[in-house]
Amino acid sequence: MKQAQFSVASKLVGDAAVIYPKGYLNNLSGESLVKECGIYIRRGITKIVVNFSETDLINSIGISMLLQIMEDLRNIKGTICCTNMSKFLHDTFEMLGLIQHMTVFPAESDAIDYLKVRTT
Amino acid sequence: MPFNAIPAEDYFNRENELHYLKGLSELKKNALGGDVFLEGARGMGKTELLKQLHRLLFWEDEVVPFYYSFKTANLKGAYFAKDYFAGFVRQYLSFAKKEPSLAQSAAEPFERLMPAISALGLYWLIDCIEDFQTHVNRNDFYWQIVAAISAPVIAAKKTGKPVLLMLDDFDAAGSLYESSFGDTAGLISLFRESMQNSLCPHVMTGSAGALEAIFTDHSLIGMTEQMRLGPLPEDVAAELFGAHLANLKITPPSAGETRFLALLKGNPLYIRNLAKAAWKMQKKELRERDLIECYSYEVSGGETAFYWSSVLSRYTQTPTQRRAMLKILMHSVENGVCEEINRLSILSGVGATETAAIMAAMNASGIVRDREAVLQDVIRCLYMKEIEGRDAVYAKEKIEAKYLSEKEESCFELVIPMSSNAELVVAKAVEQIGKNSNLDAEFLNYLQLALIEVCINAIEHSGSYEKKVFLKFITRPDTLEIVVENSGKPFSPETRKEIPVEEKLRMGIKRGWGFKLVYAIMDNVKVERVNDRTRVIMTKNIKDKEVRE
C-alpha cells in the first residue's frame, strides 16, 4: 500500500467524464470525488467513469461517498462505470454485496466503448 | 532486627552504595554530606542494604549503627517513644559489648541492663534512661518523644563517636499521633535536631511519594540527598538467582532459558522469592517452563503475593476500601492510570471522597508508580481471588497460561490520537508487523482495512475526552490478534441493524459498512466493555498460503 496524498483528476472523453481518484479514499477525499463528479453533472454530463487504477485504499466512508455519486446519477438517469479496480478493491465491494449493483469493467476503454453505445 | 542480613557473599552489586553510606559520618563531620533518603521500588533491597551497612559498622567499631523500622512500629507517640528509646539503648549496648544478642533481647527491662552499662562506664546512658523514665512517669507525651529521638545525639556528643541512624520506612513517622490517629500533625519534625547534628548522619527509606509529602519542612530538605537504588543488571540478577538456587540445591536453568527472569526487572526480593518458590515446589532442576510455573505460584499465592497483599492492607482500613482499591488498581493495570475521581468512584463503588482518599493512599504507597509486570500480575491474581471469588489455583493457572502462550509471540503497542488520517499510521504499523512475520501483501491489505474501520468507528462515535485509541498487536505463528481500545460511549455491534444491501440502496442509507467489513475480513471479532472503555479484539488465523516463502 503506497497511500499517496489523495488527489482527483478528470477529463472529458466524448460525452463521458473520466475521474481518477488517487491515493486513500476516505471522508475528505470522498467529498472531493463527489464534488468533482458534481461539476460534470451540473454541466449536463450523465455518463461517468471512475478509474480506480491509482486508488490504493478505500474505507467505508469513501464507499458511502461513492454510493452518493451512484445515487446522484440514478436520480438523473445517468450511468456510472468503475474500471481498473485492484483485486483487493473488487473484493472489498464484493464482501459488502455491492459489486452486483455496480457496472464494472477491467479497463477504462471498455467502459468508454460501453457508454458510447448506451443512450441515457 | 538488623542482624538477620543475608551473608555478605550472597549480597550482590551494591558495593558502591555501601561504600558511600559507610563513609557518611566522615562526610557529615566535614560538612561534605548530610543525610540520605534511600529511594527505590519495593523489593529493590533498601532494607537489606541497611542491614548490610549495620553489619559492617557493627564490627568495624568506628561508627555506632542504630537501625529502626517504622514498618512494624506502633505509631501511637508514647509507644513509639518507648520502643525507639529501648531499641537504641539495647543496640548501643550490643555494639559496645559486641554482643548481637543484646540488641534482640526486647523483653529485658532497663534495670537488668544497668550492671552491664555501669561496667562499661556509660554513665551518660544511665542519665538518659533516668531522664526518659521521668518523662514517662510524668506522662509527658512531648518530652518522651523528644528524649527518645535525642538519645542517639546525646550518645554521639558524650562519646565523640558518630551514630549512624538507619530509619527504615521513615515515611510512616509522618503518621505519629498522640492518642488517636491523625490527632497530632507534624511530630516527624521533631527529628530535625537529630538530623542537623554533625555526628549523626541519617539514612532513611520510604516511598518517594511519601517523601515529597514529609519533606515539606525546608530545613529537612536542604540537608538530605536522595540515593536511588536501581534494579540489578540482568547478568547480576541471573547470578544472584543462581546463588540462591545453589543454596537450595537446585540446578539452575541453562543460559538460554533464563529470559523469563527479565520479567523480575532485577528486583532482589522477587529473585529470592522465585528461588524459594522453586524449592517449595520441590524442583530439582529448572527449565523455562518450570520458571513460569514457579512464578505463577509466587504471584498467585506465594511470598510475593503475600508481600503485596500486606502492603495493600497497610493502606486500607476496611474490607470495602480494600475492594475499592483493588478495582482501581485493576483498572490501572488494564487501562493505565486514571486521575478522574468521579469516574473512579463509579468504578470502585465507593463515594468520591473515599475514592480520593484511596487514590492519595495509593500515591503515598508508591503502588501506582511501580508499574512493573510482577506487581501487575499480583494485582490480577488478587482481583481474581477477592473480587471475582476465584481461588489461588485458578489464578495461578491463568497467569501460567498467559506466559506459556506468550512464549512464542511478539507484542507491539501503539497509541494514536483521534485525529484525521491517524488510522493510516495504524495501517502502516500493521503493514510492517506483517512484513516482520512474512505475511503476504494482499493479505495485509485486508487486515489494514479491518483495522482502519475499527479505528474510524472509535474516532467517529466514541465521543471520548481522552481522544486516544490504544492498539495492541500480538503475533503468533498461526494467528494475529489485534486489540483496539478507547474510552467514551459504549459501542455494541449487536445494536447495528443488518439491512439487506438492496434495501439500503433503495432507502438511500449510505453508511454502516465498517463493521460488516471487519466481520467479513477477520476470523473472530469480540467487542467488550471494560470499565469505561470499549475493547475490540480481532483475531485472524494465518494459513500457509498467506505467508510468503
Side-chain angles (χ1 to χ4, degrees), chain B residues 49-60:
Chain B
L49 179 61
L50 295 186
K51 287 178 182 174
Q52 297 290 332
L53 178 63
H54 185 280
R55 180 168 50 203
L56 267 177
L57 298 175
F58 186 88
W59 296 109
E60 283 190 1

Side-chain angles (χ1 to χ4, degrees), chain B residues 242-291:
Chain B
H244 288 320
L245 291 179
N247 285 335
L248 298 165
K249 303 197 172 13
I250 300 170
T251 308
S254 63
E257 290 194 298
T258 55
R259 276 171 306 169
F260 186 74
L261 283 180
L263 191 80
L264 308 184
K265 289 270 186 287
N267 183 311
L269 176 73
Y270 296 158
I271 293 168
R272 188 201 66 186
N273 287 352
L274 185 62
K276 281 175 76 181
W279 181 73
K280 285 179 205 162
M281 296 178 85
Q282 299 181 14
K283 300 279 181 191
K284 297 283 175 235
E285 56 182 308
L286 290 178
R287 306 196 64 117
E288 193 166 26
R289 202 188 168 89
D290 300 305
L291 282 179

Side-chain angles (χ1 to χ4, degrees), chain B residues 21-22 24-25 53 57 63-66 162-166 201 203:
Chain B
L21 295 177
K22 205 181 113 197
L24 209 59
S25 54
L53 178 63
L57 298 175
V63 177
V64 184
F66 170 50
V163 178
L164 192 143
L165 291 95
M166 288 164 264
V203 182

Side-chain angles (χ1 to χ4, degrees), chain A residues 34-117:
Chain A
V34 172
K35 213 159 143 188
E36 190 76 10
C37 292
I39 293 168
Y40 287 103
I41 291 168
R42 280 193 295 279
R43 281 163 54 185
I45 303 290
T46 57
K47 297 173 184 174
I48 289 182
V49 176
V50 184
N51 182 329
F52 285 104
S53 59
E54 293 196 71
T55 305
D56 357 276
L57 192 59
I58 187 166
N59 70 16
S60 58
I61 310 177
I63 291 170
S64 68
M65 296 293 180
L66 196 65
L67 294 180
Q68 175 70 56
I69 300 166
M70 285 164 67
E71 191 176 293
D72 290 349
L73 279 167
R74 202 170 39 242
N75 288 342
I76 55 165
K77 295 191 170 30
T79 309
I80 183 168
C81 298
C82 300
T83 75
N84 301 78
M85 288 167 110
S86 65
K87 181 179 178 302
F88 165 67
L89 214 55
H90 190 277
D91 286 352
T92 302
F93 285 109
E94 197 164 283
M95 272 188 255
L96 297 175
L98 286 171
I99 205 83
Q100 55 267 45
H101 301 278
M102 299 161 76
T103 312
V104 180
F105 292 94
E108 182 187 314
S109 54
D110 300 331
I112 299 289
D113 290 344
Y114 164 78
L115 290 172
K116 263 184 201 163
V117 294

